[in-house]
Amino acid sequence: MKSLKENGFSADKIVENGNKFLIGNGYLGYRGTLDEFTAKECVGLNIAGLYDGVKGKWRETVNAFNPFFCVISLNGVPLDVRGKEMLSHEAELDLERGLFRRETKFLVGKAHVTLSSERFVSAVEEDLLCSRTRLTSDMDATFFVKAGVDPDIWDLNGPHFTDVESRISGSCVEVKGRTQELGIPVRVACALSHSLQNFHGGLGEFSVRLKAGETFTFDRIARVLVGEKVFSACSYERAYKAHTEEWARLWLLARLDARGDARAQFALDYSIYHLLILAPKGRYSIAARGLSGQTYKGAVFWDTEIFLLPFYMEVLPACARRLIEYRIDTLPAARKKAQDYGFGGAFYAWESQNGYDACSDFNVTDVFTHRPVRTYFKEKQIHISADVAYAILRYYERTNDDALMLGGGLETVLSCAEFARTYSYYNHIKGRYELLDVIGPDEYHERVNNNAYTNYMFFFTAKEGLALAEKFAKKYPARFEELLLSLPEGILQNLREWTEKLYLPKPDAEGVIEQFDGYFRLEDVSVEKVRSRLCHPNEYWGGSGGVATATRVIKQADVIMLFNLYPDKFSAKLRRANYDFYLPYTEHGSSLSRCSYAIAACGIGRREEAYAALLESAEIDLKGGGKQWAGEVYIGGTHPAASGGAWIAATHGLGYGRKGDLA
Ligand code: IFM
């Protein structure tokens, strides 16, 4: 019953629809492209947690070889949506079953031909994906089918494979290669229901003679095999049954009822679909653009902990645990990053690739000079460690999972607090600790002092971490003593003293908390005015010389985020004052922003504003919204954080309300 359908074909929408019609299973994501498309049309089969770097380029996730390439021709005319012969075309994303379908009608000579295909990435077996193609004609005809595993794949910063080889054995085709950087073997093997001839470079062909009205069916069962895994085939029907049964189970757990509001219902269903196709199956996490491609290097940001985790905690707790484990697993890397910069504790990667910080020193390219622009996200967006700790604390609050806390959770929280303590300066004149030279969630203002979000978040991290330490010391004294051995001596006492003296910016006379020291002194100008100063539509607004840098205009919710995460620590009056103050200055240049305001609006009784922002967030990928460029860097793809944020607003905001706050 729930389906996204689109009629007609427009070449301009190829990239957008690749995102919009994405299918996946947490590990693999197959873009919503058509069978006859190749790398040029951004066909992508993205693998979670598998990274490769090509010399001189950004390291990013790897796209596997394409097992579903297929071009069918009649009398030398390819059945291709882009040809003159195309009569009608419909693409469908079946949200209920996690299936992509297309049906295209062609007129070739006098023959009316219908080509339909359906594909899914198995919700049960992480390396499995299946496709079924059907062909009918109203006249007797002989078709030529070209298919196999296409080694020509889309990459932003590839090619990622060397030693690419293909082979065929019976009706099973295989293309294999090794990743350039680490030499990891990756094979895509595909069992076809018809044997290929003239096999070359992963592709081959066969012909099929059809009588008028007869249907030809062509199945492909493929696996993406990383490392030394072996291929095993199965029937399309069996895989389909297991897959659709699992989707039925997932929807039983995840379904939300929008009470007859069809638009909100569909937008939420679509958001939930995207969250379900990202649910991790192994020890990897969720990238900022999900499995839609290599944007943002396929790296994991704070998006996962702050915007996605709540969904998994409620709907798929085992996945939530995996997301937390990912951060525990990468604690050694976070400790190393802290050490490399001269600090203690754990400084998490701003853009994590299995712990390695993929964030470049030059994350944006200037549209005028085409030169890389120095950004300081990696060194200064220290709030990432507080965000990781926050996620662990909320997970524990929800689950009471003592084993996880003893198995690294508590150590991580305390290490994150310790990092902030060692990062801070003691201001001898003011008699307080300060966090200087940081970047808050609003990335347009770099290297600021005492960002309210950052200071408060670390304060709460330390406070909550200490309270838990006390609890665990009593409950598991021997284990706790052992745990202390992996932490710096005196950590608990040091953190206690630090929290007492850490500077927490207080509201001004109007009840507004200044985003960072000196923010109120910046040019008081509207978002529209700043926009009017742009000389190029893709110009970067922040950094040292951006149009927003010297103004109050912010990229995304910042102080407001703090209230969303700790609503009970700040009165509704205060939250209202800050919402009214900061909203007009917010450009929403990040897809994390609208949903943050939706959540905030829920908490202060602004139901209509909340509803509008929730819809904007939930519909971002339906409408192909969100910025596509940061300077000259492509940042398009799906927006999981917006989906997760919309879900939070719907369930914790509009759905249930917040304690005593809704007017
Ligand atoms: O994590 C976000 C960040 O807050 C804003 N820039 C994009 C990142 C990935 O979504």
Side-chain angles (χ1 to χ4, degrees), residues 409-425:
L410 184 53
E411 191 180 333
T412 304
V413 172
L414 292 171
S415 301
C416 289
E418 173 67 1
F419 160 64
R421 189 188 73 77
T422 60
Y423 190 94
S424 68
Y425 290 75

Side-chain angles (χ1 to χ4, degrees), residues 331 335 344-348 385 388-390 392-393 405 408-422 458 460-470 472-473 480 483-488 491-496 498:
L331 177 61
R335 282 189 162 137
F347 184 7
Y348 273 87
S385 285
V388 167
Y390 178 83
I392 297 174
L393 291 163
M405 289 311 267
L410 184 53
E411 191 180 333
T412 304
V413 172
L414 292 171
S415 301
C416 289
E418 173 67 1
F419 160 64
R421 189 188 73 77
T422 60
F458 277 118
F460 292 132
T461 301
K463 278 284 200 200
E464 290 195 69
L466 286 168
L468 275 184
E470 219 170 284
F472 277 80
F480 186 73
L483 193 154
L484 276 185
L485 294 178
S486 57
L487 292 164
I491 182 174
L492 301 180
Q493 187 51 29
N494 289 342
L495 285 176
R496 260 180 232 118
W498 184 69

Side-chain angles (χ1 to χ4, degrees), residues 288-289 296 299 301-303 307 350-351 377 381 383 440-443 555-556 589-592 635 639 641:
R289 289 289 181 265
Y296 283 137
F301 291 64
W302 69 313
D303 307 28
F307 294 85
W350 177 244
E351 301 185 16
F377 304 155
Q381 228 165 136
H383 68 82
D442 159 33
E443 293 175 330
K555 180 178 183 183
Q556 62 201 90
S590 160
S591 59
L592 277 50
I635 55 168
H639 299 84

